[in-house]
Amino acid sequence: LSDVKLGDSIATNGVCLTVVELMSDGYVADISAETVNLTGFSHYQVGKAVNLEKAVTPTTRLGGHMVSGHVDGIAHVDDRQFRGQAIEFWLTPPVELGRYIAHKGSITIDGVSLTVNEVQGHRFRLTIVPHTAGETTLVDLKAGDNVNIEVDLIARHLERLMSYGTQEQES
């Protein structure tokens, strides 16, 4: 945290939070009711491990897809299986978010940018490779857990753009 300043954004399990106080071993951020309602934060206990990522700068490599830190909802982990050294998860998001999840598309789970490997209805499958498992909290997920999800930013904006004229005509 040596280069973090007050007002910086840090994604915490995928949730973009603004640093309002710095400590030697952490930071404090305010959380709105909207954040509590759309994320798993209300169920977190002191000491829970989380994924942290500082905001991307214009000179930073983008090693995944565009992630805003604006969580869309909570998905349920239905199943966890080992496939060789990888971990395979099946998840169920809220029904209204299913339309944004595409085979080989991008999704963010607890702040980790991932590729969707299969879609069945609105359920989807992810495969977590050993490196990702070792560097994130995804290795600790089990069936029955809930995770923060952010759907593909481009898909969300494209839908809005395509429906804009239609909504104007219906009003």
Side-chain angles (χ1 to χ4, degrees), residues 3-163:
D3 63 339
V4 174
K5 303 180 302 299
L6 291 180
D8 282 357
S9 295
I10 298 180
T12 306
N13 261 17
V15 180
C16 180
L17 298 178
T18 302
V19 174
V20 296
E21 182 182 334
L22 281 166
M23 300 173 295
S24 62
D25 62 347
Y27 65 96
V28 175
D30 295 324
I31 299 176
S32 69
E34 172 88 359
T35 299
V36 172
N37 290 336
L38 287 177
T39 69
F41 277 14
S42 64
H43 302 291
Y44 289 9
Q45 301 292 321
V46 172
K48 175 182 174 51
V50 293
N51 297 307
L52 298 175
E53 186 168 4
K54 293 184 233 176
V56 176
T57 66
T59 58
T60 305
R61 288 183 184 212
L62 183 60
H65 72 284
M66 296 293 292
V67 177
S68 69
H70 303 162
V71 171
D72 294 299
I74 298 172
H76 181 77
V77 178
D78 297 328
D79 189 42
R80 170 194 166 129
Q81 301 288 326
F82 281 95
R83 298 286 184 236
Q85 293 186 19
I87 307 170
E88 180 180 281
F89 291 101
W90 277 96
L91 295 99
T92 300
V95 173
E96 65 274 10
L97 297 179
R99 69 179 176 265
Y100 302 112
I101 301 169
H103 179 245
K104 297 300 177 192
S106 300
I107 191 146
T108 305
I109 303 295
D110 280 349
V112 181
S113 172
L114 300 165
T115 301
V116 175
N117 288 331
E118 185 176 353
V119 176
Q120 290 181 355
H122 70 279
R123 293 178 68 230
F124 62 96
R125 180 175 57 86
L126 301 171
T127 302
I128 310 303
V129 297
H131 178 79
T132 302
E135 297 294 321
T136 68
T137 62
L138 299 179
V139 70
D140 299 324
L141 291 178
K142 58 191 176 311
D145 286 346
N146 290 319
V147 293
N148 295 325
I149 66 167
E150 179 181 331
V151 297
D152 185 69
L153 184 66
I154 295 171
R156 239 185 315 136
H157 286 288
L158 184 58
E159 178 183 60
R160 170 72 174 146
L161 180 64
M162 291 177 63
S163 69

